[in-house]
Amino acid sequence: MNPMSTYQRIYAVVRKIPRGRVTTYGTVARLAGLQGQARLVGYALSALPTGTAVPWHRVINARGEVSLRTSATGAGITQRIRLEQERITFDSAGRVPLARFGWKTAERPARV
DNA sequence: ATGCTGACTATGT
DNA sequence: TACATAGCCAGCA
């Protein structure tokens, strides 16, 4: 039952992430039927051809931070900028509050 | 076919 | 809270 390659399934899940939301590699893996293989998601996204219609920037690690190793040069910065353009904010530690912007995360009684 | 590489995560200290 | 370690798999040379 794999009409699509593993990478294709991962991309299909990522395309479902709504604008203004983020999710983790682990979550994408689970939704793609690859539970426990978060790393594959990361590898799949790194292999993503530029210009592809996949919101890869909405996928961050479980700590809520951008996980690109190239964060110092380009892609990492691009990812953060794209997220901020979707009204996603970063805290002083450079992390996204998953409890607030995480996809499919129930909004809790915002103890603001 | 074998070995290397790489956008992660859970767990223990 | 931060750092180190082990487990996981697909793609490519």
Side-chain angles (χ1 to χ4, degrees):
Chain A
M1 305 303 219
N2 292 334
M4 299 186 149
S5 70
T6 301
Y7 280 17
Q8 288 304 311
R9 277 186 289 164
I10 290 173
Y11 302 149
V13 172
V14 175
R15 276 194 292 265
K16 295 177 185 173
I17 305 173
R19 195 160 174 288
R21 289 288 188 183
V22 296
T23 193
T24 67
Y25 295 94
T27 299
V28 173
R30 181 165 53 73
L31 296 178
L34 300 168
Q35 192 162 39
Q37 297 167 199
R39 296 185 87 170
L40 271 190
V41 175
Y43 306 152
L45 296 184
S46 69
L48 199 57
T50 43
T52 308
V54 176
W56 54 270
H57 57 284
R58 294 177 191 148
V59 184
I60 59 181
N61 67 29
R63 296 177 188 168
E65 52 193 10
V66 169
S67 194
L68 293 179
R69 295 189 172 181
T70 53
S71 58
T73 53
I77 301 295
T78 300
Q79 178 167 19
R80 175 163 176 157
I81 291 176
R82 286 200 189 184
L83 292 177
E84 295 182 319
Q85 293 181 327
E86 297 187 358
R87 295 194 171 187
I88 289 173
T89 60
F90 287 72
D91 62 22
S92 57
R95 295 185 295 207
V96 176
L98 289 175
R100 195 176 157 195
F101 299 105
W103 181 34
K104 287 190 174 179
T105 298
E107 286 113 56
R108 48 177 53 191
R111 196 191 322 175
V112 198

